[in-house]
């Protein structure tokens, strides 16, 4: 039966999902003489096995999809631990008076065909199958409706894979497959390395082939596609910037806003206003009917090692930075910033550190790396690190290493306005802290890599000694002392924490003397369509300084949640109810292009707003939670509060 005939039949078919079974077979275990009670998809997702369906042998290793019909005999022999899903369905024509379709079905039904293949994009099928399995456990009617929608999407994916596998005599167009993948998954986290693994090519080869045919790299193509999708959403919907940013693959609306402006010349809000003006309702009536994205399929990724990335907290997409080098002025500026270190910080390595000799040949760059090491205990086990690391790559924890006097050779993207921008001016940027390319890192010839994501750790650990520090799961003091141990700067770490704590105490005394320490503070971020309210001591945006170190309180409705928050917490509320969340002071994230609320009637009636007790917190400065940034935030918050003391 031809593919177009099968598609035509599926388009006129009603289905019922009977059951989905998720099974793991042990090595050597067998399933024999099992008659399929209905048409079925068997999807192997892990391990190796030999499958026989009506005597036809299929050998599978990890991802393999097999389709069979009711009454066929299935046998499975697990060669390794074999995990698979077995989905049973029944299908019939919804419109039986279509004679041509009935004739096709009489010849051979697509529901009765046996076929098996290894999909090029197994993850999509896996997500759909596992989602259907979870949804099937729901007994409500909406769950039944949802699973049918997912099943049709599953069939669509299967048909696409089969067409690609059997067309052009099996010769697949790599660039076309990558392009299709980008169009389908643009709202997900995608990197060149992920694409390379997906299609089993090296990142360099894939990028070269893609650029030969399209004139651009896969990632630049992805960015442009996302920007184009964002343009449509900005023009045709009334969703918030945060929702639109997330829908096109960016969990951080600030980063998305800057990227959008770079590619279009306009901020998203200005682009939207201009687009609405050009497509006024009288000229384009359909624009009114498309006023909401509705049920966007928004992701909430989290690898549980850095859940901030996809929970709107501190670990978000960062911005590019230029290249140069650090000098000893780093320590001087930090000393001035902390205003507490009398004699500065000694940049020398810990002389008491024990050392051992290692074979230089163990490194791809033996002439660049010291042969003396120290053993450091980490959550991933003991790691031998250079006694005096010279070429350090650090991702996310930038201000911490700056505070310890380290001159890194590679860093993750950096936001404008960060407290340590000048100190890292020109250092090689490696992109997002969770998406650094192994090839880019390797080119820097590092002798030590410091990461805050387990995903990044897995990608980079074979390049050089790699330290994984789950920064969002430990305190600032624990993080600084661990970095001090890793970098051979234990003494400096102790001095930094002592100086910072002294500075906190001094700030508390100033606020106490000014009668401000018992005032309430609300930390917010957002726009007219919704205001994000911070409800945790460890969210970022100044929450550590205000609620933790200074010990100030939020309004009762927020404070109750802060007192019980175990993770990074926040809540988006409408401006109509925001007054009940606002305390004596408002600390609001500020960035270029954000909504001006000064003409909003509800906002203007808030006592703190009317009195001018609003502290505009520069986003780049308040984004980071490292020690260097916390110290700068402490100065900013303390001085801003004192300057507004007379407004009561």
């Amino acid at each position: 039966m031809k593919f177009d005939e099968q598609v035509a039949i599926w388009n006129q078919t009603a289905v019922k999902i009977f059951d989905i079974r998720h099974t793991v077979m042990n090595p050597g275990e067998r399933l024999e003489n099992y008659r399929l009670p209905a048409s079925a998809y068997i999807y192997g997702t892990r391990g190796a096995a030999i499958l026989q369906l009506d005597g036809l042998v299929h050998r599978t290793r990890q991802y393999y999809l097999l389709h069979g019909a009711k009454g066929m005999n299935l046998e499975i022999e697990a060669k390794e631990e074999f995990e698979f899903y077995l989905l049973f369905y029944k299908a019939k024509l919804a419109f039986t008076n279509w004679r041509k379709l009935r004739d096709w079905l009489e010849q051979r039904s697509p529901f009765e065909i046996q076929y098996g293949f290894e999909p090029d994009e197994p993850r999509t099928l896996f997500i759909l199958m596992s989602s259907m399995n979870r949804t099937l456990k729901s007994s409500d009617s909406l769950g039944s409706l949802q699973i049918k929608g997912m099943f049709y999407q599953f069939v669509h994916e299967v048909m696409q894979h089969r067409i690609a596998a059997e067309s052009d005599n099996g010769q697949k167009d790599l660039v076309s497959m990558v392009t299709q993948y980008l169009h389908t998954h643009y709202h997900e986290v995608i990197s060149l390395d992920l694409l390379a693994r997906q299609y089993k090519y090296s990142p360099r080869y894939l990028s070269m082939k893609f650029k030969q045919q399209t004139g651009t790299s896969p990632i630049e193509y992805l960015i442009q596609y996302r920007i184009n999708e964002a343009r449509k959403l900005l023009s045709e919907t009334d969703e918030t910037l945060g929702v639109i940013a997330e829908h096109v693959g960016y969990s951080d609306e600030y980063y998305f806003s800057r990227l959008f402006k770079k590619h279009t010349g306009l901020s998203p809000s200005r682009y939207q206003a201009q687009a609405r003006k050009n497509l006024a309702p009288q000229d384009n009536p359909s624009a009114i009917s498309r006023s909401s994205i509705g049920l966007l399929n928004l992701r909430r990724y989290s690898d549980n090692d850095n859940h901030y990335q996809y929970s709107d907290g501190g670990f978000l997409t960062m911005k590019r930075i230029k290249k140069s080098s650090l000098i000893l002025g780093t320590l001087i500026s930090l000393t001035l910033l902390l205003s507490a270190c009398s004699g500065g910080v000694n940049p020398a390595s810990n002389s008491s550190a024990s050392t051992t000799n290692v074979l230089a040949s163990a490194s791809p760059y033996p002439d660049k790396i010291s042969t003396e090491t120290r053993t450091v205990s980490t959550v991933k086990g003991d790691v031998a690190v250079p006694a005096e690391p010279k070429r350090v790559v650090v991702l996310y924890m930038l201000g911490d290493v700056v505070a310890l006097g380290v001159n890194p050779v590679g860093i993750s993207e950096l936001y404008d306005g960060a407290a340590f921008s000048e100190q890292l001016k020109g250092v090689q940027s490696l992109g997002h802290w969770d998406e650094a390319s192994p090839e880019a890192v390797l080119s820097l010839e590092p002798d030590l890599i410091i990461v805050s994501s387990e995903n990044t750790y897995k990608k980079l650990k074979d390049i050089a000694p790699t330290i994984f520090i789950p920064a969002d799961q430990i305190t600032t003091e624990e993080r600084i002392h661990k970095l001090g141990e890793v970098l051979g700067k234990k003494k400096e770490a102790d001095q930094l924490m002592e100086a910072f704590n002294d500075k906190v105490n001094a700030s508390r005394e100033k606020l106490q003397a000014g009668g401000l320490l018992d005032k309430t503070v609300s930390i917010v971020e957002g726009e007219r369509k919704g205001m994000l309210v911070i409800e945790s001591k460890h969210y970022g945006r100044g929450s550590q300084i205000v609620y933790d170190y200074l010990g100030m309180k939020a309004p009762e409705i927020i404070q109750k949640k802060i007192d019980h928050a175990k993770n990074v917490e926040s809540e988006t509320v409408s401006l109509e109810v925001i007054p009940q969340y606002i305390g004596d002071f408002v600390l609001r994230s500020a960035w270029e292009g954000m909504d001006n609320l000064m003409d909003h009637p509800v906002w203007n009636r808030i006592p703190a707003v009317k009195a001018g007790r609003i502290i505009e917190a520069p986003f780049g400065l308040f984004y980071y939670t490292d020690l260097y940034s916390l110290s700068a935030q402490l100065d900013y918050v303390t001085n801003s509060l004192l300057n507004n003391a007379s407004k009561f």
Side-chain angles (χ1 to χ4, degrees):
M1 175 175 282
K2 298 178 181 179
F3 276 114
D4 57 350
E5 296 174 353
Q6 295 182 43
V7 171
I9 291 174
W10 274 112
N11 277 330
Q12 304 300 328
T13 296
V15 298
K16 178 178 178 60
I17 311 301
F18 285 108
D19 192 16
I20 301 177
R21 302 177 188 177
H22 182 203
T23 305
V24 178
M25 296 176 63
N26 295 321
E29 191 174 351
R30 297 175 64 92
L31 172 68
E32 297 180 340
N33 298 320
Y34 179 74
R35 293 286 175 181
L36 296 179
S39 296
Y41 283 105
I42 303 101
Y43 191 31
T45 58
R46 180 169 59 86
I50 297 176
L51 288 75
Q52 288 192 54
L53 192 58
D54 266 7
L56 187 60
V57 177
H58 301 261
R59 297 181 183 273
T60 171
R61 188 161 189 85
Q62 193 168 8
Y63 292 108
Y64 192 85
L65 183 73
L66 179 62
H67 180 272
K70 179 180 179 180
M72 287 186 176
N73 185 67
L74 174 66
E75 296 189 357
I76 303 176
E77 180 183 356
K79 293 299 184 181
E80 300 175 0
E81 188 174 74
F82 180 55
E83 182 175 2
F84 66 97
Y85 288 87
L86 184 56
L87 181 152
F88 296 108
Y89 73 94
K90 182 178 181 180
K92 64 178 181 179
L93 285 182
F95 301 100
T96 57
N97 60 334
W98 287 30
R99 182 171 181 177
K100 181 177 288 188
L101 294 182
R102 293 203 313 270
D103 291 342
W104 286 341
L105 280 175
E106 289 175 1
Q107 295 172 21
R108 198 173 190 196
S109 165
F111 323 130
E112 299 175 352
I113 299 174
Q114 177 181 167
Y115 56 82
F117 62 91
E118 182 180 338
D120 290 317
E121 297 177 15
R123 191 173 61 153
T124 304
L125 292 175
F126 172 75
I127 291 173
L128 287 169
M129 181 67 83
S130 58
S131 297
M132 285 189 288
N133 184 43
R134 289 192 302 269
T135 306
L136 191 64
K137 297 175 182 177
S138 172
S139 58
D140 58 34
S141 57
L142 281 178
S144 299
L145 181 62
Q146 184 181 16
I147 196 172
K148 287 185 179 180
M150 287 188 288
F151 179 75
Y152 283 122
Q153 187 176 353
F154 183 86
V155 172
H156 174 263
E157 291 288 335
V158 171
M159 296 294 288
Q160 282 194 322
H161 282 84
R162 291 181 63 201
I163 291 172
E166 297 182 20
S167 63
D168 298 326
N169 295 321
Q171 298 299 314
K172 301 172 186 176
D173 184 345
L174 173 62
V175 175
S176 295
M177 289 192 297
V178 172
T179 302
Q180 179 185 338
Y181 183 89
L182 295 177
H183 289 182
T184 304
H185 301 277
Y186 68 92
H187 56 281
E188 301 176 7
V189 176
I190 296 176
S191 66
L192 180 60
D193 295 306
L194 182 147
L195 293 172
R197 292 194 303 271
Q198 183 78 33
Y199 295 101
K200 300 178 177 63
Y201 290 97
S202 72
R204 182 169 181 171
Y205 177 82
L206 187 148
S207 183
M208 178 188 69
K209 296 295 289 184
F210 195 93
K211 195 165 187 176
Q212 283 178 350
Q213 291 192 34
T214 67
T216 187
S217 70
I219 299 305
E220 281 298 321
Y221 181 93
L222 171 64
I223 291 172
Q224 192 57 60
Y225 188 83
R226 286 172 167 174
I227 295 298
N228 289 337
E229 290 298 308
R231 290 187 194 203
K232 298 176 187 176
L233 296 175
L234 287 166
S235 301
E236 301 172 3
T237 77
D238 288 326
E239 291 293 349
T240 65
L241 181 61
V243 170
I244 291 175
E246 188 170 8
H247 182 65
V248 298
Y250 298 104
S251 55
D252 180 2
E253 63 185 87
Y254 175 78
Y255 176 77
F256 164 71
S257 181
R258 295 183 63 83
L259 192 66
F260 188 91
K261 186 175 181 180
K262 174 185 174 183
H263 283 265
T264 66
L266 296 172
S267 67
S269 59
R270 290 187 179 180
Y271 179 88
Q272 186 177 58
Q274 182 173 306
R276 295 293 174 82
K277 183 178 180 181
N278 294 337
L279 295 174
Q282 60 267 29
D283 301 321
N284 183 19
S286 64
I288 300 177
S289 66
R290 295 179 292 181
S291 60
S292 174
I293 296 177
L295 299 175
L296 280 179
N297 184 23
L298 298 183
R299 76 205 187 292
R300 285 292 179 193
Y301 302 108
S302 175
D303 58 16
N304 295 324
D305 299 299
N306 283 298
H307 54 262
Y308 290 9
Q309 182 188 4
Y310 304 111
S311 303
D312 300 320
F315 288 7
L316 296 173
T317 310
M318 303 178 188
K319 191 188 175 310
R320 277 198 319 262
I321 186 138
K322 305 167 195 137
K323 184 175 183 181
S324 92
S325 60
L326 264 173
I327 56 175
L328 290 178
T330 298
L331 297 179
I332 298 174
S333 62
L334 179 64
T335 303
L336 293 174
L337 182 64
L338 296 176
S339 304
C341 297
S342 58
V345 181
N346 179 10
S349 299
N350 187 348
S351 59
S352 63
S354 62
T355 61
T356 59
N357 290 327
V358 295
L359 292 175
S361 59
S363 164
Y365 301 100
D367 58 323
K368 302 290 185 180
I369 300 177
S370 170
T371 59
E372 295 185 334
T373 66
R374 291 173 291 105
T375 299
V376 177
S377 177
T378 77
V379 294
K380 293 297 182 183
D382 291 346
V383 179
V385 302
E388 296 183 9
K390 303 297 184 183
R391 301 186 61 80
V392 179
V393 166
V394 59
L395 305 180
Y396 187 74
M397 294 169 284
L398 312 180
D400 290 327
V401 299
V402 167
L404 289 165
V406 173
N407 177 3
V409 297
I411 58 174
S412 48
E413 288 177 316
L414 178 65
Y415 275 142
D416 288 340
F420 42 80
S421 291
E422 286 301 311
Q423 284 73 24
L424 291 177
K425 196 172 185 179
V427 178
Q428 178 65 46
S429 173
L430 296 166
H432 187 277
W433 60 268
D434 194 34
E435 297 178 11
S437 165
E439 289 188 341
V441 174
L442 184 63
S443 69
L444 295 175
E445 305 177 10
D447 59 1
L448 179 64
I449 303 171
I450 302 173
V451 302
S452 56
S453 159
E454 185 163 12
N455 176 55
T456 312
Y457 170 80
K458 292 176 181 177
K459 291 195 299 183
L460 305 182
K461 64 183 178 65
D462 295 326
I463 295 175
T466 303
I467 301 296
F468 168 46
I469 299 177
D472 62 319
Q473 300 174 19
I474 58 179
T475 66
T476 300
E477 187 168 0
E478 290 171 337
R479 189 179 70 246
I480 290 296
H481 283 125
K482 176 55 67 175
L483 285 168
E485 179 187 2
V486 170
L487 297 167
K489 295 180 179 290
K490 290 184 178 180
K491 181 179 179 181
E492 290 86 338
D494 291 339
Q495 290 176 334
L496 287 169
M497 286 309 308
E498 182 180 357
F500 179 71
N501 290 329
D502 288 345
K503 187 175 181 180
V504 169
N505 292 332
S507 297
R508 286 178 55 85
E509 291 175 3
K510 291 178 184 178
L511 295 174
Q512 183 69 53
L516 298 172
L517 203 58
D518 62 346
K519 302 300 181 183
T520 57
V521 181
S522 301
I523 303 176
V524 300
E525 175 179 297
E527 50 192 349
R528 293 173 179 268
K529 298 170 185 174
M531 188 69 70
L532 189 74
V533 179
I534 309 306
E535 300 173 340
S536 166
K537 293 182 180 181
H538 305 291
Y539 187 97
R541 311 302 196 270
S543 60
Q544 284 94 330
I545 292 299
V546 174
Y547 300 138
D548 192 5
Y549 291 109
L550 291 178
M552 299 182 74
K553 302 294 185 181
E556 185 177 2
I557 189 173
I558 302 175
Q559 191 61 44
K560 288 180 179 178
K561 297 178 181 179
I562 291 176
D563 292 339
H564 295 91
K566 295 182 180 180
N567 298 309
V568 177
E569 301 289 349
S570 65
E571 179 181 1
T572 299
V573 301
S574 68
L575 277 182
E576 283 65 32
V577 300
I578 196 65
Q580 61 185 294
Y581 290 84
I582 301 300
D584 299 318
F585 288 92
V586 183
L587 185 67
R588 184 190 178 201
S589 290
W591 63 84
E592 180 186 0
M594 74 177 194
D595 283 355
N596 181 2
L597 302 178
M598 299 315 295
D599 61 348
H600 195 287
V602 175
W603 181 257
N604 279 325
R605 287 198 297 267
I606 298 173
V609 176
K610 291 172 65 177
R613 296 192 298 271
I614 300 180
I615 302 172
E616 299 287 357
F619 189 90
L621 175 61
F622 279 80
Y623 168 78
Y624 296 98
T625 58
D626 57 84
L627 189 63
Y628 202 107
S629 297
L630 290 176
S631 182
Q633 293 168 20
L634 179 62
D635 283 339
Y636 190 97
V637 170
T638 301
N639 292 334
S640 297
L641 290 172
L642 292 172
N643 290 338
N644 284 277
S646 61
K647 296 181 179 179
F648 281 98

